[in-house]
Amino acid sequence: MQRGPGEVSVRPYLIVLSCLLSAACARQPDDEAIRAAITAGAASIEAHRAKDVLDLATDDFVGNDGVDRAGLANIVRAQLLGANTIGVRIGSVTVELHGERAVARFDADITDSSGRWIADRATTLHFETGWRREGRAWRCYNAKWSDDRS
């Protein structure tokens, strides 16, 4: 069947749409989902989007020295307000899966152009984080972090 000028075959578009939908619906492996969440958190810090960082933490989050989610919110907001430019480079992330929970360990090289957040403008933080599945997402429910001086 010949097409007239301006007529487009729908079939190739349906094939492409079908491939995109199947890829979007495919479930990401758990370890990759956790790594993606950590990467998204780093990008959110660099973009000064505190809400996006906090969306990764559960309501019952606990961090260093008993810092809860509200305390984490205060820390993140205060640091983002004072820093002009923050850079975060995540190193290799190891993930240990334990059913609906996981432990992720990684280092983050952090730079702060203002010198307010990080006194010497650069540091490496070592993280050990606990994650659990909530619905289809993985969220951080605990975290321990230390720097090279601790």
Side-chain angles (χ1 to χ4, degrees):
M1 171 190 229
Q2 289 189 335
R3 292 183 199 5
E7 288 186 58
V8 178
S9 171
V10 176
R11 177 171 277 158
Y13 294 107
L14 290 176
I15 292 170
V16 170
L17 180 61
S18 170
C19 289
L20 289 174
L21 289 175
S22 67
C25 294
R27 188 165 165 252
Q28 185 177 31
D30 293 333
D31 60 331
E32 288 179 22
I34 292 166
R35 285 184 184 94
I38 292 166
T39 300
S44 295
I45 288 171
E46 290 182 330
H48 286 75
R49 292 189 318 258
K51 181 191 177 306
D52 293 348
V53 174
L54 296 171
D55 285 347
L56 295 173
T58 61
D59 290 340
D60 60 346
F61 173 87
V62 177
N64 285 11
D65 301 320
V67 169
D68 61 6
R69 190 173 190 278
L72 178 65
N74 290 336
I75 291 168
V76 169
R77 287 185 188 114
Q79 301 307 329
L80 294 180
L81 282 173
N84 296 328
T85 304
I86 297 174
V88 181
R89 189 177 59 90
I90 303 295
S92 176
V93 179
T94 60
V95 178
E96 297 171 11
L97 296 169
H98 306 281
E100 298 294 304
R101 294 186 184 251
V103 175
R105 293 179 185 86
F106 59 95
D107 291 341
D109 295 325
I110 302 174
T111 57
D112 169 15
S113 65
S114 70
R116 181 174 177 265
W117 189 3
I118 302 166
D120 57 1
R121 298 184 191 259
T123 193
T124 298
L125 295 178
H126 312 285
F127 287 88
E128 181 172 322
T129 56
W131 296 77
R132 70 174 175 235
R133 186 190 318 271
E134 291 190 351
R136 298 179 100 183
W138 283 90
R139 295 184 63 212
C140 183
Y141 68 90
N142 71 35
K144 293 182 220 167
W145 58 90
S146 62
D147 62 18
D148 292 329
R149 296 167 283 198
S150 317

